[in-house]
Amino acid sequence: DGLTDASIIKVQNPPFAIISPVSSFISNFIDLNRANFVYIYSWWIHLITLLFFMNYLPYSKHFHVYTSFFNVFFKRLEPAGKLEDMDFENIKEDETFGIKYAKDFNWKQVLDFYTCTECGRCREFCPTRLTEKALSPMEFGLHLRDYIYKENKNLISEEADGEKTPLPKLPKDYVREEIIWDCTTCRFCEEHCPLFISYIDKIVGLRRNLVLEESDFPEEAINSFKGMEVNSNPWNMPKDKRCEWMEGLEVPKFKEKKEAKYLFWVGCAGSYDDHGKKISKICINILNKLNIDYAVLGDEENCTGDSARRLGNEYLFYQMAQQNVETLNKYKFEKIITFCPHCLNTLQNEYPSFGGNYKVLHFLEFLCERYSAGELQIKNKIDLNLTYHDSCYLGRYNGIYEAPRFLLSKILNKDLKEMELSKEKGLCCGAGGGRMWLEEKGKRINHLRLEYALKTKTEGVALSCPFCYIMLENATKEKNMEDFKVFDVLELIWKAIQ
């Protein structure tokens, strides 16, 4: 009954006082009425403040407080190496190709923009930022977020304030051309974003609009597009020379064999590039030495279309994918093996949309299986001190980090020395995203990658991608560092098993 007399009632050592020493001490100087007054008004101030910020946050850079959960929950479940398909069979009359206006972003892409916390992890080791190019993933996303805030009415309708308002175009008008074409699609930004924000789909979407609607793309890409369209290879070499590398080798073809356990996919680099042809021959020699049941497509094989798709020429990729799937589905095989990570990614992750569901192995994965089965016998250890370069399309795209390292550990006399940026943090060689066929301005990415390799104080670098080989081999010549050798892991394996 005496609880109402605030002048004599104090809070006397409640049961939880021992775990709240400061609060318990202060309570000795505050009567209950005054404490109740402070509690009620603090509660209302807290509630009003909370409600204010709940309404304010969607208009501030802190909107990610709301959107982060949903962005993580609705993250892409498709393979990292698969881009969104375009439906060329059911084109609407007013349809835009790629991303032209703000309304062309899908809901998940818009959610991505709102979710960015500006932590900067995406740009930490982005090759374009490290070489001072115009593209920085975080700034790119924030710039488009600001654009969407500005054009939010036009996301729903072209009608604004009762008048017909033309929609501002994104490519070139709002996003500079060099930003659109700088990206190597290496996926460093996406791999290291804690909230699963994607960037490559947006950049490729902008490229698609420039290529398919504006016919506006770097001049250097013309030769590659023409080569893929006419001769089925980006080198634009004659189609009838695709099988010249096979001369002097016993290479079974599906045309004659019809069925085999493995289909060896050679790829364009393996058919036309001088060093690529050397690796193709090594693969054939290894397959024959191990008595593997395999066959190749020969002159029926065409470019997978990887470069065309990532440069924005989706229609050309669409045609090439359909043609390749039709050819592949004529024959019976259990698995495809290839030494090109770009071919692996396209065949395994992007062809299922066209009816081509294949199990694809990189040649090094295949050799790991053979080693585990006791079929691959190491006869000669290689006495080289090497580092290893991770291909983006082998590593970040398809999670293959350990196969090359495992095999190198078995054939090298010395331990492999890792570069500062390796595995998930591996730095791109500069050839991805179709940039193999484009000129690079400013500091070259392949030169930067070579600098990281040289820091290991080794004799050379091993790698597992024909594009990476070309880029790093060129870097050694351009930097007068030809004493630093570049090896494909398959070259070293062939020496070790003979």
Side-chain angles (χ1 to χ4, degrees):
D1 293 334
L3 288 179
T4 56
D5 189 350
S7 63
I8 62 172
I9 299 299
K10 302 290 182 183
V11 178
Q12 299 294 331
N13 298 321
F16 49 83
I18 192 170
I19 62 171
S20 307
V22 176
S23 302
S24 299
F25 175 76
I26 293 174
S27 70
N28 291 318
F29 304 97
I30 302 176
D31 61 66
L32 287 180
N33 282 344
R34 192 167 299 162
N36 189 55
F37 173 84
V38 172
Y39 167 75
I40 292 173
Y41 277 86
S42 296
W43 188 88
W44 277 105
I45 291 171
H46 177 80
L47 182 62
I48 291 169
T49 303
L50 178 63
L51 291 172
F52 169 77
F53 277 101
M54 285 179 68
N55 286 276
Y56 170 71
L57 283 177
Y59 300 95
S60 76
K61 67 178 183 179
H62 302 293
F63 192 26
H64 61 79
V65 173
Y66 285 160
T67 60
S68 296
F69 169 81
F70 298 100
N71 208 61
V72 172
F73 184 81
F74 290 109
K75 70 175 181 178
R76 275 171 50 99
L77 298 179
E78 293 179 314
K82 185 185 185 311
L83 287 172
E84 184 180 356
D85 301 311
M86 291 180 65
D87 184 5
F88 290 103
E89 301 294 333
N90 301 291
I91 299 175
K92 299 175 184 176
E93 188 175 342
D94 59 344
E95 186 171 351
T96 58
F97 293 101
I99 296 173
K100 186 175 185 178
Y101 304 117
K103 65 183 181 65
D104 295 323
F105 289 116
N106 61 42
W107 67 270
K108 179 59 173 63
Q109 291 172 325
V110 175
L111 188 63
D112 277 348
F113 296 135
Y114 290 147
T115 302
C116 180
T117 64
E118 303 182 35
C119 68
R121 293 183 195 178
C122 59
R123 63 180 182 177
E124 184 181 10
F125 297 115
C126 169
T128 58
R129 192 193 71 84
L130 292 178
T131 53
E132 300 176 350
K133 304 287 193 300
L135 172 64
S136 174
M138 188 182 81
E139 280 76 13
F140 169 76
L142 296 178
H143 189 54
L144 287 171
R145 182 193 68 187
D146 295 341
Y147 172 85
I148 288 173
Y149 272 124
K150 179 181 176 183
E151 301 297 333
N152 61 80
K153 290 182 181 178
N154 291 331
L155 283 171
I156 301 171
S157 171
E158 292 185 8
E159 297 287 341
D161 300 324
E163 298 180 2
K164 193 77 170 179
T165 304
L167 289 171
K169 290 191 294 185
L170 279 171
K172 295 195 293 185
D173 290 352
Y174 201 79
V175 181
R176 302 202 318 269
E177 272 193 274
E178 56 266 38
I179 290 176
I180 296 172
W181 296 109
D182 276 348
C183 183
T184 66
T185 68
C186 74
R187 284 201 69 250
F188 176 88
C189 53
E190 297 182 354
E191 182 80 11
H192 294 273
C193 176
L195 297 174
F196 303 102
I197 294 171
S198 64
Y199 294 94
I200 293 169
D201 58 335
K202 303 171 184 68
I203 290 172
V204 172
L206 293 167
R207 290 180 178 181
R208 285 175 177 177
N209 183 257
L210 288 176
V211 173
L212 298 178
E213 282 201 9
E214 307 292 333
S215 293
D216 187 358
F217 46 83
E219 188 176 349
E220 315 91 82
I222 295 174
N223 191 56
S224 296
F225 286 159
K226 181 180 177 182
M228 286 184 275
E229 186 174 359
V230 177
N231 292 308
S232 298
N233 70 85
W235 269 267
N236 202 6
M237 297 286 284
K239 171 78 171 173
D240 58 11
K241 291 189 176 182
R242 194 172 191 98
C243 297
E244 282 189 355
W245 66 271
M246 299 182 193
E247 290 177 7
L249 294 172
E250 293 182 15
V251 185
K253 297 184 179 66
F254 270 101
K255 254 193 235 179
E256 303 145 4
K257 197 171 179 180
K258 304 299 180 185
E259 185 175 347
K261 185 172 183 179
Y262 294 98
L263 184 150
F264 174 45
W265 184 276
V266 181
C268 298
S271 300
Y272 295 105
D273 174 66
D274 287 341
H275 186 265
K277 288 188 281 187
K278 177 183 176 182
I279 302 303
S280 295
K281 292 177 182 178
I282 287 173
C283 289
I284 294 299
N285 287 331
I286 293 174
L287 291 169
N288 289 338
K289 184 179 181 68
L290 297 179
N291 295 314
I292 302 298
D293 178 26
Y294 77 98
V296 301
L297 291 175
D299 57 10
E300 290 186 283
E301 182 184 290
N302 298 307
C303 178
T304 60
D306 164 76
S307 293
R309 171 165 252 200
R310 276 152 183 80
L311 283 172
N313 198 336
E314 182 68 10
Y315 186 67
L316 178 56
F317 168 76
Y318 176 85
Q319 290 179 310
M320 300 178 83
Q322 283 191 322
Q323 185 177 356
N324 279 326
V325 169
E326 184 179 345
T327 301
L328 287 165
N329 288 348
K330 289 194 303 185
Y331 302 113
K332 290 184 179 181
F333 53 87
E334 293 180 18
K335 295 177 183 178
I336 298 175
I337 46 178
T338 180
F339 66 87
C340 176
H342 295 262
C343 294
L344 179 146
N345 181 71
T346 306
L347 291 165
Q348 180 168 270
N349 298 324
E350 302 196 306
Y351 277 15
S353 297
F354 299 85
N357 295 286
Y358 315 115
K359 172 62 178 174
V360 189
L361 295 174
H362 189 271
F363 212 95
L364 297 183
E365 289 183 290
F366 167 75
L367 291 182
C368 281
E369 290 182 356
R370 304 280 67 78
Y371 184 89
S372 298
E375 299 172 19
L376 187 71
Q377 301 294 325
I378 307 299
K379 297 179 180 178
N380 309 298
K381 287 274 190 172
I382 308 295
D383 192 26
L384 284 171
N385 185 17
L386 299 177
T387 186
Y388 179 75
H389 163 76
D390 289 282
S391 160
C392 302
Y393 278 74
L394 194 63
R396 279 192 290 268
Y397 273 83
N398 290 285
I400 303 172
Y401 296 108
E402 297 309 320
R405 288 173 169 83
F406 173 80
L407 291 168
L408 286 170
S409 72
K410 300 300 179 185
I411 65 174
L412 294 179
N413 268 330
K414 300 175 183 177
D415 292 338
L416 198 68
K417 290 188 179 179
E418 294 287 359
M419 282 189 252
E420 179 185 344
L421 299 181
S422 64
K423 296 188 177 181
E424 289 84 357
K425 287 187 177 180
L427 184 68
C428 180
C429 71
R435 288 216 53 90
M436 172 77 179
W437 318 106
L438 307 183
E439 289 296 327
E440 184 175 357
K441 297 177 182 177
K443 184 170 183 178
R444 298 177 65 85
I445 294 171
N446 60 334
H447 290 185
L448 179 62
R449 190 46 168 167
L450 178 62
E451 289 172 16
Y452 278 102
L454 292 170
K455 286 180 185 178
T456 61
K457 306 296 184 183
T458 54
E459 298 171 69
V461 57
L463 40 74
S464 312
C465 172
F467 284 8
C468 293
Y469 183 91
I470 292 169
M471 297 300 284
L472 291 182
E473 177 73 4
N474 286 346
T476 62
K477 294 175 181 176
E478 292 158 0
K479 301 279 282 185
N480 296 317
M481 298 296 298
E482 293 181 67
D483 288 340
F484 187 80
K485 299 300 181 183
V486 183
F487 300 98
D488 191 295
V489 177
L490 288 166
E491 293 178 85
L492 302 173
I493 291 172
W494 179 237
K495 289 180 182 178
I497 66 174
Q498 289 189 81

